[in-house]
Amino acid sequence: FSTLSKLFVSVQKYKLAHHVATALRHIIFWSLPATAFFIIIRAQIVRTVLGSGAFSWNDTRLTAACVALFSISIVAQSANLLFIRAYYATGKTKVPFIICGISSVVTVIASFVFYKIFFIAPVVKYFVASLFKVSDVSGVEILSLPLGFTIGSLFNMWLFAFIFNKDFKNLFKNIRDTVVHSLAASFVAGAASYVALLIIGNLITLDTLAGVFSQGLVAGIVGIMFWFITLKLMKNREVEELLVNIKKRIWKAKIVVPDRTSI
């Protein structure tokens, strides 16, 4: 926020837009794979945190479905905070106020509409429930809330991005490659984690906390490996920047030894 404010006060509009685009690239880079992992290993996450006492397996499945729907908006939730700070830095506080207000109305309406649709058109409820494998669980109507929240968050992000691109230009152009690379790599990582879960499921059961945690951990590690390899093969910019930063932190720079004549 302080950096954005300094750039705006210094009348460096181009640098401010570039700084926001860079931050947004990294948000997309980290958030999309997080979304994929939350969706794939949602049951293991919920079971590890809440799987005790009266919390049944059906409760786990329904909660996991909610987690998956909420996780779809991880990118949007993170990006919205960035856009809010960017507009506050420029002094245009009315813009985020109006956008967030409209998006809040969209969230409430979307949740209410989907809740009604689930009763009026059971086929829609069955379709959504089938996607998250909870069609045989009672209380599926609760999914209308995270669904509405996700739609509102995505709409909020789209509105912010559209207006910011209009005000500062080239936002979509600067993040295009990152979006394409991250989507592809996240899909591969999710598929790899899913296959790993299928294989591990035959070896490790969900009867114990250690088993549940092990399933999620192994599947997550496998997914991260495929995510990294995919981005590396695509020569992703963010991965190269990440590797450079890691090398700087782990391996210290060589000490320059002065000549005897200069001592």
Side-chain angles (χ1 to χ4, degrees), residues 36-71:
F37 292 137
F38 267 105
I39 292 175
I40 299 301
I41 60 175
R42 60 187 184 275
Q44 284 72 21
I45 294 173
V46 174
R47 200 63 179 166
T48 299
V49 177
L50 301 172
S52 62
F55 203 81
S56 66
W57 176 240
N58 283 340
D59 295 333
T60 298
R61 294 170 60 194
L62 193 57
T63 304
C66 292
V67 169
L69 282 171
F70 276 124
S71 66

Side-chain angles (χ1 to χ4, degrees), residues 3 9 31 38 84 101 105 110 112 118 161 174 199 203 238:
T3 302
V9 172
S31 297
F38 267 105
I84 289 172
V105 173
F112 179 78
F118 281 176
N174 291 329
I199 296 174
L203 304 175
E238 286 73 29

Side-chain angles (χ1 to χ4, degrees), residues 14-28:
Y14 170 77
K15 287 187 177 181
L16 184 147
H18 178 73
H19 191 81
V20 171
T22 300
L24 186 58
R25 282 195 299 106
H26 287 281
I27 286 174
I28 295 170

